[in-house]
Protein backbone atom coordinates (compact mmCIF):
# COMPACT_ATOMS: atom_id res chain seq x y z
CA UNK A 1 0.00 0.00 0.00
CA UNK A 2 1.28 3.47 -0.82
CA UNK A 3 1.03 6.39 1.56
CA UNK A 4 -1.42 8.14 -0.77
CA UNK A 5 -3.72 5.11 -0.81
CA UNK A 6 -3.56 5.06 2.98
CA UNK A 7 -4.36 8.74 3.38
CA UNK A 8 -7.26 8.53 0.91
CA UNK A 9 -8.75 5.38 2.37
CA UNK A 10 -8.90 6.57 5.97
CA UNK A 11 -9.41 10.28 5.31
CA UNK A 12 -6.27 11.31 7.09
CA UNK A 13 -5.51 15.01 6.91
CA UNK A 14 -2.50 15.58 4.68
CA UNK A 15 -0.01 18.08 6.09
CA UNK A 16 2.58 17.26 3.46
CA UNK A 17 2.85 14.49 0.87
CA UNK A 18 5.94 15.04 -1.27
CA UNK A 19 6.35 11.31 -1.93
CA UNK A 20 2.82 9.88 -2.45
CA UNK A 21 3.97 6.62 -4.08
CA UNK A 22 6.17 5.56 -1.18
CA UNK A 23 5.25 2.02 -0.11
CA UNK A 24 4.42 1.29 3.52
CA UNK A 25 6.37 -1.66 4.87
CA UNK A 26 5.12 -1.86 8.45
CA UNK A 27 4.05 0.19 11.44
CA UNK A 28 5.88 1.58 14.44
CA UNK A 29 4.28 3.44 17.35
CA UNK A 30 6.32 5.56 19.74
CA UNK A 31 6.87 9.02 21.20
CA UNK A 32 10.38 8.73 22.64
CA UNK A 33 12.44 9.88 19.72
CA UNK A 34 15.63 7.98 20.50
CA UNK A 35 13.63 4.83 21.01
CA UNK A 36 11.87 5.27 17.69
CA UNK A 37 15.11 6.02 15.89
CA UNK A 38 16.69 2.89 17.29
CA UNK A 39 13.78 0.54 16.64
CA UNK A 40 11.62 1.71 13.74
CA UNK A 41 12.35 -0.01 10.44
CA UNK A 42 12.92 1.67 7.10
CA UNK A 43 9.54 2.13 5.30
CA UNK A 44 7.47 1.85 8.49
CA UNK A 45 4.54 4.19 8.98
CA UNK A 46 5.41 5.93 12.26
CA UNK A 47 2.46 6.77 14.50
CA UNK A 48 3.15 9.31 17.25
CA UNK A 49 1.70 12.20 19.22
CA UNK A 50 5.00 14.11 19.14
CA UNK A 51 4.57 17.13 16.90
CA UNK A 52 7.75 19.19 17.23
CA UNK A 53 10.50 19.86 14.72
CA UNK A 54 12.67 16.99 15.95
CA UNK A 55 10.15 14.54 14.49
CA UNK A 56 11.38 15.61 11.04
CA UNK A 57 14.98 14.68 11.79
CA UNK A 58 14.01 11.33 13.28
CA UNK A 59 11.70 10.54 10.35
CA UNK A 60 14.50 11.33 7.91
CA UNK A 61 17.16 9.38 9.76
CA UNK A 62 14.99 6.33 10.41
CA UNK A 63 13.78 6.60 6.80
CA UNK A 64 10.11 5.90 7.60
CA UNK A 65 7.55 6.02 4.79
CA UNK A 66 5.30 8.48 6.59
CA UNK A 67 4.57 10.07 9.95
CA UNK A 68 0.99 9.87 11.27
CA UNK A 69 0.09 12.17 14.15
CA UNK A 70 -2.64 10.38 16.10
CA UNK A 71 -5.75 11.86 17.71
CA UNK A 72 -5.72 14.94 15.48
CA UNK A 73 -2.56 16.30 17.07
CA UNK A 74 -1.58 19.32 14.99
CA UNK A 75 2.04 19.57 13.84
CA UNK A 76 4.04 22.64 14.89
CA UNK A 77 4.54 25.11 12.05
CA UNK A 78 8.25 24.30 12.04
CA UNK A 79 7.52 20.61 11.64
CA UNK A 80 5.14 21.27 8.76
CA UNK A 81 7.76 23.36 7.01
CA UNK A 82 10.52 20.82 7.64
CA UNK A 83 8.33 17.97 6.36
CA UNK A 84 7.89 19.73 3.04
CA UNK A 85 11.57 20.61 2.80
CA UNK A 86 12.87 17.21 3.81
CA UNK A 87 10.52 15.13 1.71
CA UNK A 88 8.55 13.66 4.60
CA UNK A 89 4.96 12.46 4.21
CA UNK A 90 3.08 13.85 7.22
CA UNK A 91 -0.56 13.13 8.11
CA UNK A 92 -2.88 13.54 11.03
CA UNK A 93 -5.36 10.84 11.98
CA UNK A 94 -8.51 11.47 14.02
CA UNK A 95 -8.09 8.07 15.65
CA UNK A 96 -5.93 6.94 18.56
CA UNK A 97 -2.52 5.42 17.86
CA UNK A 98 -4.01 1.98 18.56
CA UNK A 99 -7.00 2.45 16.25
CA UNK A 100 -4.80 3.90 13.52
CA UNK A 101 -2.45 0.92 13.79
CA UNK A 102 -5.36 -1.54 13.63
CA UNK A 103 -6.57 0.09 10.43
CA UNK A 104 -3.09 -0.21 8.96
CA UNK A 105 -2.82 -3.80 10.08
CA UNK A 106 -5.96 -4.61 8.12
CA UNK A 107 -4.32 -3.27 5.00
CA UNK A 108 -0.81 -4.62 5.44
CA UNK A 109 -1.40 -8.17 6.68
CA UNK B 1 38.58 5.76 -2.55
CA UNK B 2 42.01 5.35 -1.07
CA UNK B 3 42.21 8.79 0.51
CA UNK B 4 40.15 9.64 3.47
CA UNK B 5 37.40 12.19 3.03
CA UNK B 6 36.58 14.49 5.94
CA UNK B 7 33.45 16.45 6.76
CA UNK B 8 33.39 18.96 9.64
CA UNK B 9 30.36 20.40 11.39
CA UNK B 10 29.69 22.84 14.21
CA UNK B 11 26.84 21.79 16.46
CA UNK B 12 25.06 24.86 17.79
CA UNK B 13 24.32 24.48 21.48
CA UNK B 14 21.83 27.32 21.65
CA UNK B 15 19.49 26.07 19.01
CA UNK B 16 17.86 22.87 20.07
CA UNK B 17 15.41 22.88 17.19
CA UNK B 18 18.12 22.75 14.57
CA UNK B 19 19.86 19.77 16.17
CA UNK B 20 20.13 17.06 13.60
CA UNK B 21 21.27 19.30 10.77
CA UNK B 22 24.74 17.79 10.70
CA UNK B 23 23.46 14.22 10.71
CA UNK B 24 20.90 14.89 8.00
CA UNK B 25 23.63 16.57 5.94
CA UNK B 26 26.04 13.67 6.43
CA UNK B 27 23.31 11.26 5.36
CA UNK B 28 23.06 13.20 2.11
CA UNK B 29 26.86 13.28 1.65
CA UNK B 30 27.21 9.54 2.21
CA UNK B 31 24.40 8.80 -0.20
CA UNK B 32 26.18 10.84 -2.87
CA UNK B 33 29.30 8.79 -2.24
CA UNK B 34 27.33 5.61 -2.94
CA UNK B 35 27.66 4.17 0.57
CA UNK B 36 25.09 1.42 1.27
CA UNK B 37 21.88 2.43 3.01
CA UNK B 38 22.33 0.30 6.14
CA UNK B 39 25.72 1.91 6.81
CA UNK B 40 24.27 5.37 6.19
CA UNK B 41 21.44 4.67 8.61
CA UNK B 42 23.80 3.50 11.34
CA UNK B 43 26.17 6.45 10.91
CA UNK B 44 23.43 9.06 10.81
CA UNK B 45 21.52 7.66 13.81
CA UNK B 46 24.69 7.46 15.91
CA UNK B 47 25.62 10.96 14.91
CA UNK B 48 22.18 12.40 15.60
CA UNK B 49 22.16 10.95 19.10
CA UNK B 50 25.60 12.47 19.63
CA UNK B 51 24.45 15.85 18.35
CA UNK B 52 21.44 15.80 20.66
CA UNK B 53 23.69 14.90 23.59
CA UNK B 54 26.00 17.82 22.86
CA UNK B 55 23.05 20.22 22.63
CA UNK B 56 21.38 18.95 25.83
CA UNK B 57 24.44 18.56 28.02
CA UNK B 58 27.38 20.48 26.63
CA UNK B 59 26.17 23.67 24.94
CA UNK B 60 27.18 22.35 21.53
CA UNK B 61 30.44 21.11 20.08
CA UNK B 62 31.97 19.86 16.87
CA UNK B 63 31.45 16.78 14.75
CA UNK B 64 33.97 15.35 12.33
CA UNK B 65 33.19 12.49 9.98
CA UNK B 66 36.03 10.67 8.23
CA UNK B 67 35.08 8.42 5.36
CA UNK B 68 37.83 5.82 4.88
CA UNK B 69 38.04 2.87 2.54
CA UNK B 70 36.47 0.33 4.88
CA UNK B 71 35.05 2.37 7.70
CA UNK B 72 33.43 5.63 8.67
CA UNK B 73 34.77 7.33 11.76
CA UNK B 74 32.76 9.90 13.70
CA UNK B 75 34.45 12.14 16.26
CA UNK B 76 32.20 14.26 18.48
CA UNK B 77 33.95 16.76 20.68
CA UNK B 78 32.56 19.15 23.27
CA UNK B 79 33.78 21.36 26.08
CA UNK B 80 30.87 20.58 28.35
CA UNK B 81 30.79 19.44 31.98
CA UNK B 82 32.00 15.90 31.24
CA UNK B 83 30.36 12.56 32.13
CA UNK B 84 30.68 11.61 35.81
CA UNK B 85 30.07 7.90 35.49
CA UNK B 86 30.41 6.53 31.97
CA UNK B 87 29.24 3.00 32.89
CA UNK B 88 26.06 4.45 34.36
CA UNK B 89 25.53 6.74 31.36
CA UNK B 90 25.79 3.69 29.08
CA UNK B 91 22.85 1.99 30.80
CA UNK B 92 19.58 2.14 28.87
CA UNK B 93 17.10 4.34 30.67
CA UNK B 94 19.64 6.31 32.72
CA UNK B 95 19.39 10.01 31.97
CA UNK B 96 20.33 13.33 33.51
CA UNK B 97 18.37 15.36 30.95
CA UNK B 98 16.06 18.05 32.37
CA UNK B 99 12.26 17.85 32.11
CA UNK B 100 11.93 20.37 29.27
CA UNK B 101 14.09 18.09 27.13
CA UNK B 102 11.95 15.09 28.01
CA UNK B 103 8.83 16.89 26.89
CA UNK B 104 10.43 17.22 23.45
CA UNK B 105 10.74 13.46 23.22
CA UNK B 106 14.37 13.13 24.28
CA UNK B 107 16.07 12.30 27.54
CA UNK B 108 14.90 8.69 27.62
CA UNK B 109 18.39 7.46 28.43
CA UNK B 110 18.75 5.82 25.03
CA UNK B 111 21.31 8.10 23.41
CA UNK B 112 24.65 6.51 24.26
CA UNK B 113 23.25 2.93 24.08
CA UNK B 114 21.84 3.73 20.62
CA UNK B 115 25.21 5.06 19.54
CA UNK B 116 26.92 1.90 20.72
CA UNK B 117 24.34 -0.35 19.11
CA UNK B 118 24.72 1.32 15.74
CA UNK B 119 28.50 1.34 15.60
CA UNK B 120 31.23 -1.31 15.58
CA UNK B 121 33.49 0.54 17.97
CA UNK B 122 32.87 3.36 20.40
CA UNK B 123 35.27 5.10 22.74
CA UNK B 124 34.32 7.78 25.27
CA UNK B 125 36.96 10.05 26.79
CA UNK B 126 35.60 12.46 29.33
CA UNK B 127 37.06 14.74 31.94
CA UNK B 128 34.92 16.57 34.46
CA UNK B 129 34.89 20.31 33.76
CA UNK B 130 36.92 19.89 30.57
CA UNK B 131 34.75 18.07 28.07
CA UNK B 132 33.95 14.85 26.30
CA UNK B 133 35.15 13.24 23.09
CA UNK B 134 33.24 10.33 21.62
CA UNK B 135 34.90 8.42 18.79
CA UNK B 136 32.82 5.91 16.85
CA UNK B 137 33.61 3.66 13.96
CA UNK B 138 31.23 1.96 11.53
CA UNK B 139 32.79 -0.69 9.29
CA UNK B 140 31.38 -1.23 5.84
CA UNK B 141 31.98 -2.94 2.54
CA UNK B 142 34.05 -5.61 4.28
Amino acid sequence: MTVKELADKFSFTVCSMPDPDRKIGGVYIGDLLSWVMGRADCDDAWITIMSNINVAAVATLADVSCVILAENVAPDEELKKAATEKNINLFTSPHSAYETAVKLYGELK
Amino acid sequence: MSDKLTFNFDVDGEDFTSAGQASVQIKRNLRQLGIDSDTIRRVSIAMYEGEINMVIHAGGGTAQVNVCENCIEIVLKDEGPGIKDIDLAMQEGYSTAPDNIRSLGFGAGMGLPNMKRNTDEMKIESEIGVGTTVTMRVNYGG
Side-chain angles (χ1 to χ4, degrees), chain B residues 3-20:
Chain B
D3 290 326
K4 133 182 134 167
L5 205 62
T6 297
F7 300 96
N8 287 297
F9 302 93
D10 283 324
V11 178
D12 186 353
E14 298 299 309
D15 191 2
F16 192 83
T17 55
S18 72

Side-chain angles (χ1 to χ4, degrees), chain A residues 34-86:
Chain A
S34 289
W35 195 279
V36 173
M37 201 161 45
R39 313 287 166 117
D41 284 327
C42 177
D43 297 329
D44 276 353
W46 171 25
I47 305 172
T48 184
I49 51 161
M50 273 290 157
S51 56
N52 63 58
I53 177 82
N54 302 303
V55 167
V58 171
T60 303
L61 296 173
D63 210 5
V64 295
S65 54
C66 62
V67 180
I68 305 171
L69 303 181
E71 308 198 53
N72 274 335
V73 166
D76 293 359
E77 278 307 314
E78 283 175 314
L79 172 58
K80 251 193 197 166
K81 196 163 153 258
T84 311
E85 285 169 5
K86 290 182 178 160

Side-chain angles (χ1 to χ4, degrees), chain B residues 23-71:
Chain B
S23 28
V24 170
Q25 181 59 45
I26 204 67
K27 184 174 181 178
R28 211 171 291 146
N29 294 138
L30 295 179
R31 193 174 279 161
Q32 279 164 359
L33 290 171
I35 308 279
D36 69 278
S37 58
D38 183 55
T39 302
I40 293 176
R41 187 181 149 98
R42 292 169 66 205
V43 168
S44 49
I45 286 176
M47 190 159 155
Y48 183 57
E49 292 286 11
E51 264 192 87
I52 293 293
N53 277 348
M54 290 197 289
V55 175
I56 295 174
H57 299 288
T62 60
Q64 185 181 74
V65 178
N66 299 310
V67 183
C68 311
E69 205 174 337
N70 296 310
C71 77

Side-chain angles (χ1 to χ4, degrees), chain B residues 40-105:
Chain B
I40 293 176
R41 187 181 149 98
R42 292 169 66 205
V43 168
S44 49
I45 286 176
M47 190 159 155
Y48 183 57
E49 292 286 11
E51 264 192 87
I52 293 293
N53 277 348
M54 290 197 289
V55 175
I56 295 174
H57 299 288
T62 60
Q64 185 181 74
V65 178
N66 299 310
V67 183
C68 311
E69 205 174 337
N70 296 310
C71 77
I72 295 168
E73 188 185 55
I74 309 155
V75 184
L76 305 167
K77 210 173 264 198
D78 70 60
E79 295 176 357
I83 302 171
K84 270 200 194 107
D85 185 335
I86 292 176
D87 286 340
L88 195 57
M90 286 303 300
Q91 283 180 19
E92 278 195 10
Y94 178 79
S95 176
T96 56
D99 284 348
N100 66 320
I101 297 298
R102 289 172 200 260
S103 70
L104 289 171

